[in-house]
């Protein structure tokens, strides 16, 4: 029971994340990639994502401070971030990234800065939420995960 | 692009055979290389691909990926690459891969803007996936591998022999993994050179490492049989079914014969077009043209003759004649080629009228050449040349085209040059060569090829001969063929090993160069090999061909891309110089078109050849030959004419033209022609002339011819050749004549 309740929680948690737009169906795809051979795949990927994206976010921040006129570089960094976010399905972060990139293309420093703040924020929120999600998932155990992924 | 390409079946395994003999569990085991700078994406793709049962290798840097691909050629079936990468633009990587390895590449990006997608397409990507990439999309990527293989097969098929087909089919069947299947096809095609190191015979595509593609290799013998059958039935009335029956070759399918016949006819037609029409009495004129082209031209001497045919002034021819052997080779290359390819002189009926006369001499060898090329071409030489080899095939073919014309010419047209054997004489040379090239490729090459290996390798002296021959024959076409041959010889000589088989064609030259037979073979080999193996392999020997191959390869790489498929083989030549033989294959098509330009085809071929030759000749002849070969193409630039020394260079020009763009060729050819290595003694392969030939592919031919010419010339002078500097890749040819000739293109 608690098992199933946990499972339900996990399922619910995930669903809400998706509903709120933090994640998109790509996330489900990732879950489908999990199997006995790689049971923690999603978690691994997400961890990797945050590790990498945090670095990118920091780079962008630094670039904005030090050489804000280098829009090309900013745009390139933004693109990289966007790539990562799309692959895990981080919808909101991705959308903000897209906007950020647009500002870069327009060479609109103001817009870039504003947009970047949003990116940063969304990124932090997502990180938090996913951490909680995985925590829950770990509690439920592999079996639960299996059921959950069948969303 | 829609990542969820629903089209393909999702099942990765249990895919039914698709005719190319994929193993039952294909596409499982497909070897994919993924390149993406983003670690998250990379991890996800890795996982997805593994789920599809593919064999995945990941790489986060493009430079590393490229290095990996280069070192382990044939280790991958498919490449998946991101577009935006910090160290190298994805499109650039795409280009490199396409040029050097000819692997199918799929681009990916989160960017789905039309322009970006368009860019992917124009740069040659097989597909473009939008991120996030879904599993369904990845499940279907194997289709690109299959498709590519099939295309290659088709190209080679024309000149392939039934046996090969069978073997390949069987091999494929036996193959237990998809990758091998695809590999096989590729390998065969492209890699002929690579895979098989030193495979002399182009026909031997059956390298155990790769599954054999069900390609039919038209060996000289087979081609001769074919020609005999056609002649028996009368070229106009010959229908594949009847021919098949007459030939009575087990494993040969009607389709094989049909395509071969078509080539042959083209070849013959080509032969007839230029002056040869009348002369060519050989039956070749017609259909087999295409196939023969390649083959014939290389015959080494024939090529010369061919090349010469058109252009060579009687003197050259005489010169060639005097060297009967050689000329034949060169010229004969054509003629022989014709003969061989087209079939021995009369048989070829279609191909070039010329052939018969020439063919005789050359025919054996050269025809092989013709066939060789075809075969070689098929063998993947054309395409394969290592990877690029496939291009070779094209080249070979292409050359064949030219060569065919070339060959055809020699016989009939040649009238002028009556090279001893192949006087491919310039007359034909152009057309013949072209034709021959084309046809030769198809036809003779195969036959010859196997042997032609022109492995001249051992005989450095052959080279000398070649030049002579080349000179004589070179006639533009010859050059090509010869060039090829020469190249092959050289290549073989060098033993570039790469081409192993392929170059056989080229290599034939080395031995005594092409004395007609070898030349033919060489030519063929060149062609074929070139395409595939870039002649190299066979020769291993001294022939700079190998270098040429390498050299050619470059050309190939650069050039090949387009036109020179054969050049690609050049890689095979051992030098692996990036000849992406692979490219040849595509060029082949071009060559066909070139047909007319004859020189064009030749160009490619010649270029390749010449290239190779040049390379190989290292100093001697090769260069010259190339030039000559090149010359072959358009105008018998090979005009190695009389000058014996000249011969070579010109060839080059022609072939070079072949480069895919044939257009380019023109310009190049001209350039090359200049280089035509005028074999004059030292084949001066002046690098300068040729260089531009973009003939890259064609150089080969030119080279070959040159070689032959060189031979011819060389004989006379023999010493001169030394000049050919290997590096000259074509430029060295002092094709002065070639230039003129080349211009024609």
């Amino acid at each position: 029971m608690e098992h199933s309740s946990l499972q339900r929680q996990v399922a619910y948690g995930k669903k809400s994340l998706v509903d709120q737009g933090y994640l998109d169906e790509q996330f489900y795809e990732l879950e489908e990639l999990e199997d006995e051979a790689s049971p923690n795949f999603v978690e691994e990927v997400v961890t990797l994502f945050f590790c990498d994206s945090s670095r990118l976010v920091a780079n962008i921040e630094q670039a904005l401070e030090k050489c804000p006129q280098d829009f090309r570089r900013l745009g390139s960094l933004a693109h990289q971030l966007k790539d990562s976010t799309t692959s895990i399905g981080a919808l909101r972060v991705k959308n903000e990234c897209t906007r950020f990139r647009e500002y870069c293309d327009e060479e609109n420093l103001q817009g870039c800065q504003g947009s970047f703040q949003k990116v940063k924020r969304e990124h932090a929120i997502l990180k938090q939420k996913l951490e909680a999600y995985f925590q829950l998932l770990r509690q439920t155990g592999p079996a639960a995960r299996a059921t959950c992924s069948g969303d | 692009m829609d990542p969820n390409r629903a089209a393909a079946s999702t099942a990765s395994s249990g895919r039914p055979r698709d005719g190319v003999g994929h193993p039952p569990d294909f596409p499982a085991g497909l070897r994919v290389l993924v390149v993406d700078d983003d670690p998250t994406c990379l991890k996800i793709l890795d996982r997805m691909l593994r789920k599809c049962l593919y064999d995945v290798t990941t790489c986060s840097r493009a430079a590393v990926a490229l290095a990996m691909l280069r070192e382990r050629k044939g280790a991958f079936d498919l490449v998946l690459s991101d577009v935006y990468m910090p160290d190298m633009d994805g499109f650039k990587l795409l280009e490199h891969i396409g040029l050097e390895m000819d692997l199918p590449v799929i681009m990916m990006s989160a960017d789905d803007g039309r322009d970006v997608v368009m860019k992917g397409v124009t740069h040659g990507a097989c597909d473009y996936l939008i991120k996030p990439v879904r599993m369904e999309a990845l499940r279907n990527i194997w289709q690109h591998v299959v498709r590519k293989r099939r295309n290659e097969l088709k190209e080679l098929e024309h000149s392939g022999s039934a046996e090969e087909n069978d073997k390949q089919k069987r091999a494929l069947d036996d193959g237990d993994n998809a990758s091998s299947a695809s590999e096989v096809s590729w390998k065969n095609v492209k890699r002929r050179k690579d895979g098989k190191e030193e495979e002399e015979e182009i026909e031997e595509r059956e390298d155990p490492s790769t599954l054999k593609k069900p390609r039919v290799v038209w060996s000289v013998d087979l081609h001769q049989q074919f020609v005999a059958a056609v002649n028996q039935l009368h070229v106009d009335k010959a229908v594949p079914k009847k021919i098949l029956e007459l030939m009575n070759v087990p494993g040969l399918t009607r389709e094989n014969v049909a395509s071969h016949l078509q080539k042959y006819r083209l070849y013959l037609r080509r032969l007839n077009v230029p002056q040869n029409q009348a002369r060519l009495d050989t039956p070749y004129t017609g259909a087999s043209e295409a196939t023969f082209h390649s083959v014939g031209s290389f015959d080494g001497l024939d090529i010369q003759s061919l090349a010469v045919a058109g252009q060579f002034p009687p003197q050259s021819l005489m010169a060639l004649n005097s060297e009967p052997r050689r000329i034949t080779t060169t010229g004969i290359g054509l003629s022989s080629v014709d003969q061989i390819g087209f079939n021995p002189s009369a048989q070829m009926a279609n191909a070039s009228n010329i052939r018969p006369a020439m063919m005789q001499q050359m025919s054996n060898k050269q025809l092989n050449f013709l066939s060789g090329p075809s075969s070689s071409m098929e063998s993947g030489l054309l395409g394969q040349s290592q990877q690029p080899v496939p291009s070779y095939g094209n080249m070979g073919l292409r050359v064949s085209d030219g060569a065919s014309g070339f060959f055809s010419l020699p016989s009939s047209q040649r009238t002028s040059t009556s090279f001893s054997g192949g006087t491919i004489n310039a007359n034909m040379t152009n057309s013949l060569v072209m034709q021959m090239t084309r046809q030769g490729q198809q036809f003779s090459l195969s036959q010859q090829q196997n042997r032609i290996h022109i492995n001249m390798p051992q005989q450095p002296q052959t080279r000398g001969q070649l030049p002579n021959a080349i000179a004589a024959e070179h006639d533009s076409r010859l050059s090509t063929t010869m060039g090829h041959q020469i190249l092959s010889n050289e290549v073989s000589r060098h033993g570039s090993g790469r081409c192993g088989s392929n170059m056989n064609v080229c290599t034939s030259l080395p031995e005594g160069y092409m004395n007609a037979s070898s030349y033919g073979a060489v030519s063929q080999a060149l062609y074929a090999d070139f395409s595939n193996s870039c002649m190299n392999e066979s020769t291993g020997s001294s022939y700079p061909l190998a270098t040429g191959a390498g050299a050619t390869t470059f050309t190939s790489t650069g050039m090949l891309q387009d036109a020179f498929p054969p050049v690609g083989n050049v890689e095979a030549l051992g030098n692996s110089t990036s000849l992406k033989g692979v490219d040849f294959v595509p060029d082949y098509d071009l060559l066909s078109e070139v047909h007319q330009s004859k020189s064009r085809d030749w160009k490619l071929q010649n270029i390749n050849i010449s290239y190779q030759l040049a390379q190989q000749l290292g100093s001697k002849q090769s260069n010259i030959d190339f030039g000559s070969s090149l010359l072959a193409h358009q105008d018998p630039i090979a005009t190695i004419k009389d000058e014996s020394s000249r011969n070579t260079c010109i060839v080059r020009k022609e072939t070079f033209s072949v480069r895919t763009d044939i257009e380019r060729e023109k310009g190049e050819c001209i350039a090359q022609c200049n280089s035509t290595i005028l074999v004059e003694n030292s084949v001066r392969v002046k690098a300068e002339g040729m260089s531009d030939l973009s003939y890259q592919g064609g150089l080969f031919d030119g080279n070959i011819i040159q070689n032959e010419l060189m031979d011819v010339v060389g004989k006379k002078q023999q010493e001169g050749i030394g000049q050919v500097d290997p590096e000259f890749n074509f430029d060295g040819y002092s094709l002065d004549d070639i230039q003129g000739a080349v211009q024609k293109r």
Side-chain angles (χ1 to χ4, degrees):
Chain A
M1 274 163 317
E2 57 193 49
H3 194 69
S4 65
S5 130
L6 273 174
Q7 284 179 21
R8 260 182 293 126
Q9 277 184 47
V10 166
Y12 178 74
K14 181 163 50 150
K15 188 163 185 303
S16 76
L17 279 174
V18 173
D19 289 344
Q20 290 170 44
Y22 288 104
L23 295 176
D24 60 19
E25 56 277 4
Q26 177 65 11
F27 196 76
Y28 294 137
E29 286 267 332
L30 292 185
E31 289 190 325
E32 270 171 35
L33 291 176
E34 270 188 356
D35 58 16
E36 311 72 45
S38 20
N40 302 323
F41 181 71
V42 187
E43 191 172 354
E44 285 167 12
V45 174
V46 172
T47 310
L48 184 59
F49 165 74
F50 279 114
C51 181
D52 190 51
S53 58
S54 301
R55 182 182 54 87
L56 281 171
V57 167
N59 283 349
I60 297 177
E61 191 155 22
Q62 200 180 44
L64 275 173
E65 280 171 32
K66 303 239 175 94
C67 32
Q69 300 312 315
D70 191 352
F71 289 105
R72 219 177 57 80
R73 178 147 190 272
L74 283 175
S76 150
L77 286 169
H79 182 88
Q80 285 180 49
L81 186 60
K82 187 181 166 201
D83 252 5
S84 290
T85 56
T86 35
S87 52
I88 69 152
L91 191 62
R92 281 204 187 180
V93 185
K94 180 181 80 167
N95 290 341
E96 288 304 333
C97 275
T98 308
R99 269 181 234 120
F100 175 67
R101 193 149 178 241
E102 281 166 15
Y103 284 122
C104 286
D105 289 342
E106 292 166 17
E107 303 203 352
N108 179 345
L109 186 58
Q110 197 87 350
C112 279
Q113 281 167 342
S115 182
F116 175 68
Q117 291 308 315
K118 291 202 189 125
V119 169
K120 213 167 143 201
R121 197 173 61 230
E122 288 294 339
H123 182 259
I125 295 173
L126 184 66
K127 189 166 182 199
Q128 222 176 25
K129 290 198 180 270
L130 280 176
E131 271 172 5
Y133 173 76
F134 282 116
Q135 185 108 3
L136 197 57
L137 206 55
R138 259 177 256 126
Q139 285 176 16
T140 54
R145 203 170 302 140
T147 12
C148 287
S149 34
D151 227 89
Chain B
M1 251 161 259
D2 174 60
N4 298 316
R5 249 185 312 200
S9 47
T10 50
S12 50
S13 54
R15 177 116 177 53
R17 296 288 172 96
D18 55 10
V20 290
H22 290 295
D25 62 343
F26 179 81
L30 195 71
R31 293 156 314 160
V32 185
L33 175 67
V34 187
V35 189
D36 195 328
D37 61 312
D38 183 50
T40 317
C41 288
L42 208 56
K43 189 178 168 75
I44 295 174
L45 285 167
D46 175 83
R47 180 92 200 100
M48 283 186 178
L49 291 165
R50 281 183 205 282
K51 265 217 137 178
C52 294
L53 303 179
Y54 295 151
D55 189 344
V56 190
T57 307
T58 57
C59 195
S60 62
R61 298 187 59 85
V64 174
L66 206 55
M68 232 194 280
L69 284 167
R70 285 183 182 138
E71 294 168 42
R72 304 195 262 155
K73 298 224 167 151
F76 298 104
D77 299 315
L78 184 65
V79 179
L80 241 70
S81 170
D82 188 25
V83 169
Y84 295 98
M85 289 189 286
D87 64 333
M88 191 193 292
D89 181 30
F91 294 117
K92 205 104 182 266
L93 177 66
L94 168 63
E95 276 178 23
H96 277 300
I97 296 177
L99 274 171
E100 300 175 28
M101 294 121 209
D102 195 29
L103 283 177
V105 182
I106 296 180
M107 304 301 291
M108 305 178 288
S109 183
D111 195 346
D112 59 351
R114 196 192 77 105
D115 296 338
V116 185
V117 177
M118 176 67 84
K119 203 169 170 197
V121 172
T122 54
H123 279 72
C126 286
D127 203 351
Y128 190 104
L129 305 178
I130 309 291
K131 287 186 178 172
V133 181
R134 301 292 193 95
M135 269 283 276
E136 300 82 68
L138 292 179
R139 273 196 228 270
N140 300 337
I141 60 179
W142 57 265
Q143 63 174 288
H144 298 291
V145 173
V146 174
R147 190 175 297 121
K148 208 165 174 86
R149 278 219 285 151
R150 284 172 66 88
N151 289 340
E152 287 169 351
L153 271 172
K154 278 194 190 134
E155 296 200 19
L156 290 179
E157 213 158 68
H158 295 307
S159 34
S161 56
E163 298 89 280
E164 277 273 350
N165 244 325
D166 275 351
K167 276 190 296 205
Q168 295 197 336
K169 287 214 167 78
R170 268 183 258 114
L172 284 174
D173 286 347
D174 298 332
D176 33 359
N177 59 17
S179 54
S180 56
S182 44
E183 238 189 34
V184 172
S185 10
W186 281 352
K187 284 203 183 162
N188 282 330
V189 176
K190 301 198 254 199
R191 279 200 298 206
R192 263 246 51 188
K193 333 194 245 202
D194 260 79
K196 320 193 188 235
E197 57 292 340
E198 280 70 25
E199 261 202 321
E200 328 236 305
E201 314 245 336
I202 307 227
E203 291 190 330
E204 310 179 339
R205 277 206 284 227
E206 43 222 294
D207 31 335
S209 54
T210 57
L211 290 178
K212 297 190 206 282
K213 271 194 284 214
R215 220 179 290 219
V216 171
V217 173
W218 282 90
S219 63
V220 178
D221 293 333
L222 195 65
H223 180 70
Q224 279 177 345
Q225 271 183 284
F226 169 83
V227 176
V230 167
N231 289 341
Q232 208 172 323
L233 295 167
H234 192 31
V235 66
D236 297 334
K237 304 211 205 64
V239 284
K241 196 156 157 56
K242 296 220 179 97
I243 297 173
L244 188 63
E245 285 167 17
L246 274 177
M247 284 176 75
N248 194 21
V249 170
L252 191 63
T253 70
R254 200 200 67 83
E255 290 71 34
N256 296 139
V257 175
S259 62
H260 196 67
L261 178 65
Q262 191 179 44
K263 292 192 179 129
Y264 185 71
R265 288 223 171 96
L266 282 172
Y267 170 84
L268 291 178
R269 204 172 306 130
R270 221 185 320 214
L271 289 175
N272 288 327
V273 169
Q275 36 218 318
N276 25 308
Q277 292 102 5
R279 291 187 294 216
L280 292 177
D281 40 77
T282 48
Y284 298 128
T285 32
S288 28
E289 300 185 330
T291 28
F292 293 114
H293 294 303
S294 32
V295 171
S297 36
F298 289 119
D299 257 299
L301 287 186
D302 279 338
I303 306 199
Q304 295 193 344
S305 18
L306 291 176
V308 179
Q311 328 254 348
F312 286 121
Q315 338 179 340
S316 331
L317 291 180
M318 308 286 272
L320 290 173
N321 285 329
S322 44
E323 307 275 351
R325 282 187 316 156
R326 284 209 296 224
I327 305 199
T328 13
T329 351
T330 24
I332 307 195
L334 287 179
S335 32
S336 310
V337 170
D338 282 349
Q339 299 185 342
I340 305 185
F342 301 122
N343 197 222
S345 47
Q347 304 185 354
M348 302 269 292
N350 296 330
S352 27
N353 323 297
I354 318 189
R355 301 286 236 178
M358 295 241 329
M359 308 266 286
Q360 310 271 322
Q361 308 197 5
M362 303 216 326
S363 50
N364 327 346
K365 314 252 192 97
Q366 305 187 339
L367 280 181
N368 291 324
F369 185 72
L370 284 175
S371 4
S374 6
S375 35
S376 32
M377 304 241 302
E378 301 205 320
S379 349
L381 281 186
L382 297 183
Q384 308 179 346
S385 49
Q386 290 192 350
Q387 279 209 330
V389 172
S391 354
Y392 245 65
N394 291 329
M395 267 249 316
L397 287 178
R398 299 274 199 123
V399 172
S400 324
D401 273 332
S404 340
F406 194 60
F407 291 119
S408 332
L409 290 178
S411 343
S412 28
Q413 306 230 345
R414 298 217 309 179
T415 59
S416 46
T417 32
S418 51
F419 295 111
S420 344
T423 41
I424 308 200
N425 324 292
N427 309 317
M428 278 221 322
T429 27
N430 285 326
S431 45
L432 232 163
V433 173
M434 302 280 290
Q435 291 181 341
M436 301 233 328
T437 344
R438 285 237 229 170
Q439 297 186 350
Q441 291 185 339
Q442 302 178 350
F443 303 104
S444 14
L445 279 178
S446 1
Q447 299 182 356
Q448 296 222 351
Q449 282 260 284
N450 301 308
R451 321 160 352 106
I452 302 212
H453 316 305
I454 307 217
N455 298 249
M456 306 236 313
Q458 306 134 20
Q459 315 185 352
Q461 43 169 315
T462 19
R463 299 226 267 181
Q465 300 188 339
L466 284 180
N468 290 328
I470 308 189
E473 316 224 342
H474 260 325
D475 210 51
S476 54
R477 264 253 240 204
L478 266 183
S479 325
T480 353
T481 358
M482 297 238 321
H484 262 317
Q485 294 199 339
I486 304 195
L487 284 175
S488 14
N489 283 333
E490 308 251 334
V491 172
S492 1
R493 294 258 206 129
H494 292 305
S496 339
R498 284 292 219 161
C499 301
S501 47
N502 25 61
M503 294 299 307
N504 296 319
V505 166
C506 315
T507 52
S508 339
L509 288 182
E511 313 185 291
Y513 223 46
M514 317 249 261
N515 291 294
S517 40
S518 51
Y519 205 67
V522 171
S523 320
Q524 285 189 344
L526 286 177
Y527 276 119
D529 286 331
F530 263 116
S531 321
N532 301 319
S533 41
C534 252
M535 316 221 282
N536 47 88
E537 311 193 337
S538 37
T539 39
S541 52
S542 49
Y543 240 130
L545 275 180
T547 9
T552 0
T553 24
F554 327 133
T555 13
S556 328
T557 342
M559 314 196 288
L560 290 183
Q561 292 241 307
D562 306 304
F564 292 64
V567 173
N569 298 319
V570 175
E571 288 197 329
L573 291 184
N575 288 303
S576 58
T577 24
S578 64
L579 248 185
K580 301 204 338 175
V582 179
D583 285 277
F584 281 7
V585 173
D587 286 19
Y588 183 64
D589 298 322
L590 288 177
L591 286 175
S592 315
E593 306 174 354
V594 188
H595 225 34
Q596 324 177 350
S597 28
K598 334 187 253 204
S599 15
R600 275 223 282 225
D601 293 328
W602 261 66
K603 297 202 196 174
L604 282 177
Q605 300 192 338
N606 285 330
I607 304 199
N608 288 326
I609 306 191
S610 18
Y611 199 18
Q612 300 200 334
L613 288 179
Q615 305 264 345
Q616 303 191 340
L617 286 185
S619 35
K620 326 177 191 208
Q621 328 174 335
S622 29
N623 295 317
I624 311 194
D625 295 321
F626 290 107
S628 342
S629 12
L630 292 183
L631 295 184
H633 43 208
Q634 307 203 336
D635 336 15
I637 299 204
T639 41
I640 306 239
K641 27 200 206 180
D642 53 329
E643 337 235 281
S644 44
S645 35
R646 294 304 202 84
N647 40 34
T648 48
C649 309
I650 316 212
V651 174
R652 273 218 308 189
K653 307 275 185 102
E654 308 213 314
T655 35
F656 297 117
S657 330
V658 187
R659 269 240 289 195
T660 46
D661 299 23
I662 313 258
E663 299 286 331
R664 283 206 284 195
E665 299 180 338
K666 306 220 259 178
E668 308 187 307
C669 292
I670 306 197
Q672 307 198 338
C673 291
N674 296 313
S675 6
T676 29
I677 321 209
L678 303 181
V679 189
E680 313 189 319
N681 296 329
S682 40
V683 194
R684 306 186 290 168
V685 193
K686 304 207 255 192
E688 67 227 33
M690 312 265 283
S691 52
D692 41 77
L693 276 176
S694 37
Y695 30 45
Q696 304 171 357
L699 283 179
F700 226 58
D701 297 327
N703 290 327
I704 306 206
I705 304 204
Q706 292 203 339
N707 285 331
E708 299 199 326
L709 286 180
M710 308 239 335
D711 245 347
V712 173
V713 177
K715 281 239 190 128
K716 297 166 144 214
Q717 331 221 343
Q718 289 234 293
E719 43 304 333
I721 317 217
Q723 307 193 344
V724 180
D725 5 319
E727 33 222 26
F728 111 118
N729 306 321
F730 289 123
D731 296 323
Y733 307 119
S734 36
L735 307 171
D736 319 354
D737 300 333
I738 303 190
Q739 299 189 339
V742 172
Q743 314 247 347
K744 299 190 189 246
R745 218 329 293 125

